[in-house]
Amino acid sequence: MALKDRVNPIERNPKERAKDFSEVSLGYTENLAIIEAKRCLQCKIPTCVKGCPVGIDIPGFIKQIANEKFQESYKILKKYNALPAICGRVCPQEVQCEGACVLNKMGKPIAIGSLERFVADWASKNNIKDEIKIEKKLNKKIAIIGAGPSGLTAASELAKSGFLVDVYETFSEPGGVLIYGIPEFRLPKSIVKKEVDFLKELGVNILLNIPVGNAIEPQELLEKYDAIFIGVGAGTPKFMNIEGTELNGVYSANEFLTRINLMKAYKFPEYDTPVKIGKNVVVIGGGNTAMDAARSALRLGANVTIIYRRSEEEMPARKAEIHHAKEEGVKFQLLTQPISYIGDKEGNLIGIKCVKMKLGQPDKSGRRKPIPIENSEFIIPTEIAIEAIGTNPNKLLLSKFEGLKLNKWGYIQTNEYGQTSIPKVFAGGDIVTGSATVILAMGAGKKAAKKIKEFLND
Amino acid sequence: MLNNIVKKEKLAYGVHLFWIENPIISKKAKPGQFVIFRIHEGGERIPLTISKTKGNMFRVIVKAVGKSTYELCKLKENDYIKDVVGPLGTPSEIKRYGRVLVIGGGVGIAAIAPIVDALINVGNKVDTILAARNKESIILEDEFKDSENLYFATNDGSKGEKLFPNQLMEKLIKEEKYDVVWAIGPALMMKACSEVAKQHNLKIFVSLNAIMVDGTGMCGGCRVRIKDTLKYTCVDGPEFDGRDVDWNSFLTRLSQYKAEEKKALENYLKIVGEPTWL
C-alpha cells in the first residue's frame, strides 16, 4: 500500500507574519483535515493514546474526521480534554502522541495535534455548544488555587462530577501561562477565553485578583473547603546572576512576555504598559520560552539573536518552534555562554561578554556538558538581553502553607496521585514537577481531580 | 460592591486620597503591604501602599507623576477601579523594639501612618519625622498625635526645621538612643537616611518603590541587590534593611522607562488638555 505524504497545515509566510502578532499557523481546511485523517491506520492497539498525558481516544476522533463527522469528532475530543484548541496548538505532540504513532516507522506520523486543533476550531466556528453534563450535584466544595492549565483542568473535571468549584487566581485574567507566557501568534487569547467560558458554564466560580496566601490564608481555605488543589505553577524567574543583571535592558523572559502578552505592551502607547525595544535583542536560553521571547522581540522590529550554551541538538525547545524562529529571521549563536553584562554610565545595557563553549561527556541531564573554551571571550553588542533560563517555585503561597511538605528544590511533594502531605490538599503541574508543558500540567490536574473524587466519596 | 471609590479628597496639588471599598483587602491588609491597581482594560498595573483600613474600605494616597497616576487622580467618587489585587508584599516587622524613629517623606507619610500606629500599639515609643518640600505638602499631620515627639522638616523651612530628613535624623540620633528606624519616601531620601543609619550602626527599614508588573514574584522586574543577592521587592519586600540595599542599581532601575513615561504623559495631555483636576 502506498503511503500518502503527511499533509501539513497552512502557515503564513514567515516574512509577513514576523511583523505582527497574529497567528502563525492557519491550520487545516476541511479538505486537508479529511485527507490527513484518512492516513490514520486506526490501529487496534493505539500507541498514540499511551503517548497522550490525558489519554484522548485519538483514533476515535480522527476516524470521525475521516468520515467528515466533525461534530462527532469534537464530542469525543472534548470528553477527554477540556482545552483541545489550546492543546492542539501548544502540546509537544512530537514527543507525545505523534512520537508514539506507528507511522513513524514508515514515514511521517499522523498530524494529531493539527487535527485536534482543526476539530476544536471547527466547533468554535460553527458555534457548537458543549454539552453540559453534570453528574449528581454534590454538596462538597473544592478550592483550586491558580487558573492555569492544571487548575482549569482539575476544575472542569470536578465541576462535571457535581462538586462546587471555586478557582482563585491572582491575575486579572484566568489562564496562567496561557495568558501571560505564550504569545498571541502561537495561541490567541480569544481561544483561552472561550475555553475558560466553558468552565463558567459548567458552574465553576472563577475569583480573580485574589492572591491566596495574603488575601485568604491557607487555614481559612482548609476550614471552608472539603478539598484543595494547588496549581500555582513555578513562576519565579531564575537569573544567571552575572555581573550587571540590574542594568536597564536586562529582562527575564517572564517579564518581557508578561508585558507583551498580558499587558499588550506591543501596542504602547495605546496600551499603557511599555516595554523596551532595542535595535538588537539577545535572548539567552534554548527552550520554548526563549523561542517565544525571541519571536516576540522580532515582531517589535528588533534584530534578534538567541544564544545557547550547547548545540541545537540539545535545545529543549520544540523542533517546530526552532524552525519557525529561524524562518522568521531569528539568528542562533550556539555554544555560547554569557559571563557578564556591560553597561554605559547611565546604567543601560550595551553588550554581553560571552565565552565560547565546547561539548564534553553527557552530564546528569543526559545531554553533553558544555565546557568553556579558554581565552575565547568576546562581546555581543546589544541594548536588550532576555534571560529565558528557567523558573523557580513562587514563594507567595507556599511560605504560608503550614505543614505542606516541599522537596529540596522548593516544589510541593506529592504522591503519584497528586496528594500532598496534608491529606485534603492536592497539587499538580509545574509547582510539583518544575517547569514542564501545558499538557503535563493538565494531565496532573486530571489525575488529581480523579483522586479528589475518590477521597471525598470515601 | 467592590473597588468603588467611596471617598476621594485632594490633599495637595497632585496628591489625592482614595477610600476604596474592598472587604478582602481591608480585612487582611497589614502595615507595610501594598495593592496593585489596574484602572481600566488597557491600564498599567500600578503598585500603591495601603495607608489605612476601616470597615470594608482601605485607603491609598496617590501622587500624580505619570500618565497612569494622572488618570487615576482624575477618577471621582463612585467610579470603579477595574482590578485591585492585594494585599501584596511582606508586612512590616512590627514588634516591641523600644524606642523607634519613623520618617515619612512626601507621600511616604501615607505609608508610615499604619506603621506608626502598629508600633505604638505594641508598646513602642515612637518619634516621627514628617518631611516634605514645604508646609503645604505635609499630609495627614493629625494622624501622628500619638507619637512621643512629632518633628517636621521642610526644604524651605515653612514648617518645622529647614533640613533634609536625613539631616534631622542625624541630629535626633545624637540626642536620643533609637533601637530601630523606618524611613519611607522618595528613593533618594531613603538612600540618604540609610547612609546615616549605616554610620550609626542602626537598623533601618525602607520601603522600595520598585517598578513591578505582577507583584507576585513572577516577572523579576522589581529585583534589587540586597547584600549581593537578588531579591524581589514584591514578595521578599517591599521593606528591606536600607543598609543592605544596593542603592545605585536600584536608582538605575527606577529610571528604566523615563523616556516611555514622558511620551505617555505627553500623549495623554494632548488628549485631555490642562490637568486642572490635579
Side-chain angles (χ1 to χ4, degrees), chain A residues 170-173 180 208-211 214-217 220 235-239 241-252 254-256 258-259 262-264 268-277 346-348 394-396 400, chain B residues 24 27-28 30 33 38 40-45 67-68 71 82-89 211-214 216-221 223 225 228-230 232 235-236 246 249 252-261 263-264 267:
Chain A
T170 308
F171 267 140
S172 52
E173 264 178 80
Y180 72 75
L208 299 171
N209 292 314
I210 311 244
N214 287 2
I216 298 176
E217 281 138 65
E220 285 179 79
T236 300
K238 275 184 202 164
F239 283 95
N241 211 351
I242 58 177
E243 197 188 317
T245 305
E246 306 86 8
L247 290 168
N248 293 338
V250 178
Y251 280 107
S252 72
N254 264 9
E255 179 181 2
F256 187 74
T258 302
R259 282 180 182 270
L262 186 77
M263 309 309 294
K264 303 206 169 48
F268 179 84
E270 182 195 337
Y271 280 71
D272 290 338
T273 307
V275 67
K276 288 249 167 236
I277 304 157
E346 279 79 47
N348 298 311
N394 194 324
K395 285 183 269 192
L396 182 68
K400 288 161 195 118
Chain B
I24 294 177
K27 200 169 103 196
K28 294 291 175 173
K30 296 191 183 80
Q33 289 188 305
R38 191 178 69 139
H40 55 72
E41 192 60 43
E44 268 183 292
R45 293 171 67 91
K67 193 246 172 178
S68 298
E71 216 176 359
K82 187 169 190 314
D83 297 302
V84 178
V85 54
L88 295 167
I211 295 174
M212 24 178 107
V213 184
D214 59 296
T216 63
M218 208 207 69
C219 80
R223 63 189 180 274
R225 212 168 268 287
D228 288 329
T229 46
L230 280 184
Y232 295 159
V235 287
D236 299 316
D246 177 4
S249 63
T252 303
R253 290 191 64 75
L254 269 186
S255 70
Q256 257 185 102
Y257 294 102
K258 238 185 189 161
E260 290 83 357
E261 283 159 9
K263 186 175 163 196
N267 279 351

